[in-house]
Amino acid sequence: MEKIQRDYLYMLKVERQYSEYTLLSYKEDLEQFNVFLEQELLHLDTFQYRDARNYLSYLYEQGLKRTTISRKISTLRSFYEYWMTQDESVVNPFIQLVHPKKEQYLPQFFYNEEMEAMFQTVSQDKKKGLRDSVILELLYATGMRVSELVHIKRTDLDLNLPGVKVLGKGNKERFIPFGEFCKQRIQQYLEEFQPLQRASHEFLIVNMQGAPITERGVRYVLNDVVKRTSGVTDIHPHKLRHTFATHMLNEGADLRTVQALLGHVNLSTTGRYTHVSNDQLRKVYLNAHPRAKKEKR
């Protein structure tokens, strides 16, 4: 059992290029499943559909969110699909299990004023601030994932267009343009950090010792920026991705374009941002249309 699960996680890391954060979630899902097997005196080889239904009930009893339960079921369904490629006798007990309906939520995003405040904060520092501003600029200007950011090499940049080539989920490559603010910051960063860059690697974003920065390192940088920015209290890397998508749609970008820039496989994934944009459109409409509000008496 341990070997097939290790092989599965290795496949996700090497072949599908999943991020450290995603791999940790999958690993935790498998570990929780193993605990359930031990408690119920079940074995992976004899696990059946009725056991899968019991496991679903077990997850509900833990008080988990429906989105978390759905992800855990997806993890196990995917694990069994991998195991079936290694052993033809294996049957996937999760294939017929119905996912819990996901909660409807609006993606969190930053307003323009909040983004500007964070950029002002990082510009107050010198060398470190220049590196941090490039991280912030790239995430906001392109909507890329942190896992994509840390793997960018200097050769992936094209400052003539300008834009950057990234390798997304499933080893799918895409090119994302960015604007003049981001281009200027990157040029300044390359000049300043060139002596610090180690010859042993070609990665663009480095830590203050010159080694490639990790996803954890990026999260530390973003948390530090928020702590020092007045009026901003919460950040996570995906919130910048949400902000990119929301601001693009609010300014008139079409859904297909934003889908391509984000690297979403399904348009429905991108479509959740239209809820935020529609809310913005309603506010503009109510403020602008002469007959949108009741006449004051």
Side-chain angles (χ1 to χ4, degrees):
M1 181 172 68
E2 291 181 1
K3 182 181 184 305
I4 192 65
Q5 290 183 354
R6 281 200 308 270
D7 291 345
Y8 169 64
L9 292 171
Y10 181 77
M11 180 274 295
L12 296 179
K13 179 180 180 180
V14 176
E15 295 183 18
R16 299 190 184 176
Q17 298 284 309
Y18 282 6
S19 69
E20 294 175 14
Y21 182 79
T22 303
L23 288 170
L24 181 61
S25 296
Y26 274 67
K27 184 173 183 291
E28 289 175 350
D29 293 343
L30 290 174
E31 288 174 350
Q32 185 173 18
F33 180 57
N34 293 340
V35 169
F36 175 78
L37 292 177
E38 292 178 9
Q39 289 179 352
E40 300 298 319
L41 303 178
L42 297 170
H43 196 275
L44 203 61
D45 294 330
T46 56
F47 196 84
Q48 300 177 26
Y49 172 65
R50 67 169 181 268
D51 300 317
R53 291 185 61 181
N54 290 335
Y55 184 60
L56 182 61
S57 299
Y58 167 80
L59 293 176
Y60 274 116
E61 290 170 1
Q62 304 303 307
L64 301 173
K65 292 182 178 179
R66 283 179 288 176
T67 49
T68 303
I69 294 174
S70 183
R71 190 205 70 216
K72 291 180 179 294
I73 297 302
S74 293
T75 296
L76 294 170
R77 185 177 293 173
S78 172
F79 162 68
Y80 269 94
E81 286 173 357
Y82 168 77
W83 193 10
M84 288 166 66
T85 65
Q86 310 299 309
D87 186 345
E88 294 182 355
S89 66
V90 174
V91 177
N92 192 340
F94 289 92
I95 197 68
Q96 293 180 319
L97 201 63
V98 178
H99 279 259
K101 290 184 178 180
K102 294 182 180 180
E103 298 100 331
Q104 296 296 318
Y105 72 98
L106 294 180
Q108 292 182 324
F109 65 96
F110 292 110
Y111 290 96
N112 292 340
E113 298 80 6
E114 293 175 315
M115 288 304 308
E116 188 59 35
M118 285 191 285
F119 283 122
Q120 290 293 332
T121 296
V122 293
S123 67
Q124 294 171 8
D125 298 333
K126 292 186 178 179
K127 193 166 186 175
K128 181 178 179 299
L130 182 57
R131 192 279 315 273
D132 294 352
S133 69
V134 168
I135 291 175
L136 201 59
E137 286 279 7
L138 273 170
L139 290 174
Y140 175 56
T142 66
M144 69 174 68
R145 304 173 179 92
V146 171
S147 58
E148 296 168 342
L149 174 76
V150 298
H151 287 103
I152 294 175
K153 297 181 180 178
R154 295 190 291 276
T155 52
D156 293 328
L157 288 172
D158 187 336
L159 295 179
N160 293 319
L161 284 174
V164 61
K165 180 178 66 178
V166 298
L167 191 64
K169 288 184 177 180
N171 284 327
K172 291 185 178 180
E173 193 175 272
R174 70 187 189 281
F175 184 84
I176 315 175
F178 51 73
E180 285 300 315
F181 279 105
C182 190
K183 175 183 175 180
Q184 290 174 13
R185 274 304 189 188
I186 290 174
Q187 287 175 325
Q188 294 169 355
Y189 166 78
L190 289 173
E191 292 173 6
E192 183 71 29
F193 275 73
Q194 196 69 40
L196 192 61
Q197 294 275 7
R198 294 183 182 176
S200 58
H201 73 83
E202 296 182 355
F203 292 101
L204 175 66
I205 309 296
V206 299
N207 59 28
M208 298 310 292
Q209 287 73 47
I213 198 167
T214 63
E215 292 181 44
R216 181 178 294 180
V218 172
R219 288 186 172 86
Y220 177 84
V221 166
L222 296 178
N223 287 330
D224 181 59
V225 172
V226 164
K227 286 178 183 177
R228 296 185 292 115
T229 304
S230 176
V232 181
T233 57
D234 176 56
I235 194 171
H236 54 82
H238 245 56
K239 192 170 180 178
L240 288 169
R241 185 166 161 86
H242 296 332
T243 303
F244 164 81
T246 302
H247 290 184
M248 288 287 289
L249 290 168
N250 282 346
E251 294 300 322
D254 66 272
L255 206 57
R256 287 287 182 186
T257 300
V258 176
Q259 177 192 12
L261 292 171
L262 290 173
H264 284 159
V265 175
N266 299 314
L267 189 62
S268 59
T269 308
T270 317
R272 61 181 171 161
Y273 296 109
T274 59
H275 297 297
V276 179
S277 297
N278 287 341
D279 183 55
Q280 174 72 10
L281 286 173
R282 177 169 176 77
K283 289 179 181 177
V284 172
Y285 172 81
L286 290 174
N287 288 327
H289 197 282
R291 298 181 67 85
K293 299 177 182 176
K294 288 185 178 180
E295 185 178 349
K296 292 183 179 180
R297 300 190 181 190

